[in-house]
Amino acid sequence: MIELKDDRFLNYFRLDERFPHILCPGCGIGTTMATMVRAFLELGIKQDELCVVSGIGCSSRVPGYLDCDTFHTLHGRALPAATGVKLAKPELKVVVIGGDGDIMAIGGNHFIHAARRNLDLTVIVVNNFTYAMTGGQYSPTTPTHERAATAPFGNVERSFDVCFLARAAGAMFVARSTTFHVAHLKKMLELALKKKGFSVVEVISQCPTFYGRYQGIGDAVQMLEWLRARSIDVSKVSDPWHQKDKFVIGVLHDQQEIEPYTQLYEEVRERSRGK
Amino acid sequence: MKQLLSGNEACAIGAIRAGVRFFAGYPITPSTEIAEYLARELPRVGGTFIQMEDEIGSICCMNGATAAGVKAMTATSGPGFSLMQEGIGYSIMAELPCIIVNVMRGGPATGTPTRTSQADVMQARYGTHGDHPIVALCPWSVRECFDLTVAAVNISERLRIPVIVLMDEIVGHMREVVELPTEVEIWRPAQPKPAPEDYYHYDDRNNYDAAIASFGEGYRVHLTGLTHRKDGFPTDDPEIIKWNLDRLRNKIEQNRSWLWDIYYEDIGSETVIVCYGSAARAGMEAKRQFELKTGQRVGIVRLRMVWPFPNERLIALLRSARRVIVPEMNQGQLYREIERTVSLHVPVVSVQRYDGEMLTPEEIISHL
């Protein structure tokens, strides 16, 4: 029998009763969750100093498996909820995890304003190009012409570039990786978690159950192959924002830190007392 | 110290005195003075004010602050209150105490932003989906805006439930000279939290008298809007779903005796006016003028708490009445609740005004 107490990694999960998890076989969210925990351990983020916040959807169920303060909020509302937690307890490390539907569609307005406000939060957007928990409907990141449960004749909408939007809205740090590039993903997450201010990591993830099936890409292994074949490192392209049919992975935006919201508000408190 | 204050300002002052240290909101007439006052005063007492991108963000941000252990509130009006409904449901389900002030305007939709109404009484009760209890308080004066906000904070902390302060535009914008207490009574849990290994976030044993753990205290709390077990983790076990919803209902049902807040005078009279909020000002004046003119006594019952609805108390109070008059600035929202409660014993008449103007004493007198 494994002695869990000695295993820092396993000790991070509520293994005693929350497992087995509800995710489909071959899903990329487990990879993302495990890599995120390894990044926490690497950076020495203690379980009692961390709050993981999510909205609704497959990837938003991740906090329920973690042994730390966890906050499973309403659909799309992880960012305002995380804003409240961070403002109330600035000393807590606050990490938001959610999917493309949750953060970019219903939560789109909160996403751009959270980036603009620049609280010291890290947002992990697990992008599988579909609404998976509700059965494979098209999302704001589903490419045009692709099929989905609600786009049986092809999606007519154009899709968001999560990273481009994050940069435009004012994020301090923006990176992209995939569930195939696990070591790379861990590096990106570590850099984002270390960055003071609003940081975003887009994780391109496979959803063989819905996205892979609708697009005819195939099972989890074939989808991982697809992720590998489609990804290109940011160092190998001249313009990371305009690469057709490629996932440009790496650090896409990393600007000099400015004072985060909580620090600026502390100055407001001081000014208010002077008057 | 006597001062000239509006109801909105008195509400904001009450919140600070009762320990509120966080406000997240979005500007909307006629509630903005609350946000403006708190933007200025909260940082002075070490608190936080944030203007969010919309009302949905506001209530979720407030829930986040509460989950991290700070007393929080928001203020809004009709359309914003509609946007907040799902978040109010989350506060109910996750049992996050918080204060939502709704300075009522007319509706539906954008309605009458600068006019008055009492038309959100049913939205306060049934706005969010699912079976749930709610507490809503209705001040009628500037002083009561202060007192009932303090009461709202205490009830909310004690029962871990969102409490709605239902003001109407008249009460929010009205100015009166008041003297406010500098110290108010603040509810505090009788027992400390159990150690993390014995701690259940939704524990029936402690009957709400033990302190609650928040994020960052080492309790590794899990909060969710899903139906959950006593440790906070989701389940769809039918027995636990029922336990969860019963728990929510019972915390109001079992505390009705001290929750009810009713002011009354001359209830032995033939005619009794049952009213709340600014309509009660017209009701009180109608009573005074009618008594002066005719020499007959008129009873008055003023509901300072409209939800939970005080059915048993109303039946007892109105037992000897021959007629009940319910003046309201809507199309009879609370009238229907009162009618179904007491109409077996006594006929109930609805006096409605919903043109954005204040109800006048004359309109009530014409029904006496």
Side-chain angles (χ1 to χ4, degrees):
Chain A
M1 199 168 148
I2 312 163
E3 185 51 67
L4 297 183
K5 277 182 192 141
D6 297 333
D7 190 315
R8 288 162 70 227
F9 176 73
L10 291 177
N11 199 24
Y12 219 103
F13 298 92
R14 299 192 190 250
L15 286 182
D16 47 344
E17 50 174 326
R18 294 291 298 146
F19 285 80
H21 56 68
I22 60 160
L23 304 167
C24 305
C27 174
I29 292 166
T31 313
T32 311
M33 173 163 73
T35 312
M36 178 180 81
V37 167
R38 289 187 199 283
F40 291 153
L41 294 172
E42 187 70 37
L43 297 177
I45 298 169
K46 294 198 176 70
Q47 277 156 279
D48 290 336
E49 295 165 358
L50 172 70
C51 182
V52 183
V53 187
S54 69
I56 296 297
C58 299
S59 36
S60 291
R61 294 301 281 262
V62 163
Y65 303 110
L66 303 176
D67 194 14
C68 60
D69 283 327
T70 44
F71 198 12
H72 182 228
T73 69
L74 291 166
H75 190 34
R77 315 301 168 202
L79 274 160
T83 300
V85 173
K86 186 70 186 177
L87 288 175
K89 290 235 168 95
E91 68 277 13
L92 273 179
K93 187 84 194 162
V94 181
V95 176
V96 172
I97 183 163
D100 44 300
D102 185 62
I103 292 180
M104 306 315 292
I106 186 166
N109 194 33
H110 303 308
F111 180 75
I112 55 176
H113 288 283
R116 177 179 67 80
R117 273 188 202 109
N118 190 31
L119 271 116
D120 185 16
L121 301 173
T122 297
V123 184
I124 302 167
V125 184
V126 183
N127 183 3
N128 54 15
F129 309 100
T130 189
Y131 283 87
M133 195 163 263
T134 46
Q137 298 80 19
Y138 68 91
S139 92
T141 56
T142 307
T144 317
H145 307 311
E146 288 197 346
R147 285 173 203 275
T150 45
F153 310 109
N155 178 19
V156 292
E157 296 182 13
R158 294 181 296 161
S159 60
F160 268 149
D161 180 328
V162 176
C163 293
F164 190 75
L165 191 65
R167 186 190 72 153
M172 294 289 110
F173 177 92
V174 181
R176 185 187 287 126
S177 191
T178 83
T179 45
F180 176 83
H181 304 84
V182 180
H184 180 267
L185 172 60
K186 179 163 162 272
K187 185 77 205 151
M188 294 302 112
L189 290 172
E190 283 170 24
L191 289 171
L193 289 163
K194 272 196 283 193
K195 187 80 180 181
K196 205 172 177 141
F198 195 81
S199 57
V200 177
V201 179
E202 180 187 13
V203 186
I204 312 280
S205 169
Q206 76 277 17
C207 172
T209 306
F210 289 111
Y211 188 72
R213 185 154 61 85
Y214 273 106
Q215 307 321 322
I217 303 172
D219 64 11
V221 175
Q222 289 168 305
M223 282 206 83
L224 285 167
E225 277 297 325
W226 170 80
L227 283 175
R228 185 190 59 78
R230 273 204 159 193
S231 300
I232 184 162
D233 195 84
V234 67
S235 62
K236 300 204 173 86
V237 295
S238 53
D239 179 3
W241 308 110
H242 298 93
Q243 292 295 320
K244 210 169 157 33
D245 300 329
K246 287 281 180 207
F247 306 130
V248 179
I249 62 169
V251 177
L252 303 183
H253 176 68
D254 188 7
Q255 74 174 71
Q256 200 186 344
E257 285 164 1
I258 56 169
E259 285 175 307
Y261 188 106
T262 41
Q263 198 177 328
L264 290 170
Y265 199 82
E266 196 47 51
E267 288 165 22
V268 167
R269 290 195 187 106
E270 276 160 34
R271 282 205 297 280
S272 75
R273 287 188 188 113
K275 278 175 192 163
Chain B
M1 182 188 66
K2 282 189 175 169
Q3 45 188 346
L4 181 66
L5 287 174
S6 72
N8 279 345
E9 288 165 335
C11 167
I13 296 169
I16 290 184
R17 301 257 162 96
V20 168
R21 290 295 177 269
F22 191 93
F23 180 95
Y26 186 80
I28 183 168
T29 305
S31 76
T32 27
E33 293 83 2
I34 297 173
E36 288 166 7
Y37 186 92
L38 290 172
R40 197 169 66 239
E41 297 302 327
L42 273 177
R44 289 187 181 157
V45 292
T48 307
F49 171 92
I50 185 167
Q51 183 170 307
M52 292 299 287
E53 53 273 13
D54 56 32
E55 285 88 349
I56 303 174
S58 305
I59 187 137
C60 295
C61 186
M62 176 173 76
N63 281 339
T66 308
V70 177
K71 285 189 193 178
M73 81 182 258
T74 187
T76 188
S77 185
F81 193 56
S82 299
L83 288 180
M84 286 180 183
Q85 288 299 339
E86 192 194 13
I88 295 173
Y90 190 91
S91 325
I92 293 165
M93 188 55 122
E95 304 192 29
L96 292 168
C98 59
I99 307 301
I100 302 127
V101 185
N102 177 3
V103 188
M104 289 181 280
R105 63 203 254 173
T110 319
T112 47
T114 58
R115 299 295 180 107
T116 196
S117 94
Q118 294 180 310
D120 296 345
V121 180
M122 282 299 160
Q123 193 190 184
R125 178 65 190 88
Y126 292 109
T128 191
H129 59 282
D131 287 323
H132 64 86
I134 200 81
V135 177
L137 305 169
C138 276
W140 81 324
S141 66
V142 171
R143 175 60 202 256
E144 260 193 17
C145 285
F146 176 89
D147 290 340
L148 292 192
T149 305
V150 173
V153 175
N154 286 335
I155 292 166
S156 145
E157 289 288 313
R158 182 164 169 189
L159 295 181
R160 300 174 199 164
I161 189 171
V163 176
I164 295 160
V165 181
L166 266 181
M167 291 158 52
D168 50 71
E169 186 272 342
I170 292 168
V171 174
H173 280 162
M174 174 174 65
R175 284 175 185 277
E176 289 181 311
V177 175
V178 285
E179 193 163 359
L180 302 178
T182 45
E183 296 279 323
V184 296
E185 214 171 296
I186 293 176
W187 181 83
R188 290 196 172 82
Q191 297 172 46
K193 291 183 277 288
E197 54 275 20
D198 300 325
Y199 180 80
Y200 291 101
H201 202 71
Y202 305 100
D203 197 341
D204 284 335
R205 285 177 308 178
N206 63 32
N207 196 27
Y208 309 105
D209 57 355
I212 199 158
S214 56
F215 294 153
E217 293 182 354
Y219 278 72
R220 300 185 190 169
V221 175
H222 180 72
L223 298 182
T224 178
L226 292 163
T227 7
H228 45 258
R229 310 179 303 207
K230 64 179 181 174
D231 60 3
F233 285 96
T235 178
D236 51 9
D237 177 334
E239 254 179 60
I240 303 179
I241 294 173
K242 185 173 180 303
W243 166 83
N244 196 169
L245 293 176
D246 280 344
R247 176 184 157 91
L248 297 181
R249 178 172 62 183
N250 288 343
K251 67 172 148 182
I252 292 297
E253 291 304 318
Q254 291 166 0
N255 288 292
R256 273 176 177 263
S257 55
W258 64 265
L259 266 175
W260 281 338
D261 193 346
I262 300 177
Y263 172 89
Y264 54 87
E265 266 180 50
D266 300 323
I267 48 150
S269 314
E270 273 198 8
T271 305
V272 179
I273 304 169
V274 180
C275 47
Y276 57 96
S278 70
R281 299 179 79 89
M284 200 56 105
E285 180 60 16
K287 165 183 159 68
R288 196 187 67 86
Q289 287 183 15
F290 186 81
E291 285 173 353
L292 265 180
K293 207 160 67 187
T294 65
Q296 284 175 274
R297 282 274 167 208
V298 176
I300 195 154
V301 172
R302 190 161 68 75
L303 306 176
R304 305 206 315 167
M305 176 177 286
V306 291
W307 305 117
F309 192 72
N311 12 27
E312 290 158 48
R313 287 297 295 279
L314 266 192
I315 291 169
L317 284 171
L318 300 176
R319 184 159 293 152
S320 56
R322 306 285 293 275
R323 214 154 65 96
V324 171
I325 315 267
V326 182
E328 275 182 293
M329 289 184 291
N330 58 45
Q331 295 182 339
Q333 295 194 10
L334 210 62
Y335 155 74
R336 283 187 287 274
E337 200 71 21
I338 293 165
E339 206 220 7
R340 79 175 182 189
T341 301
V342 301
S343 64
L344 270 181
H345 314 278
V346 51
V348 185
V349 180
S350 174
V351 180
Q352 306 172 359
R353 179 155 197 176
Y354 41 85
D355 59 356
E357 297 287 321
M358 189 173 175
L359 246 161
T360 62
E362 292 70 30
E363 283 167 88
I364 300 169
I365 290 170
S366 70
H367 288 85
L368 288 176

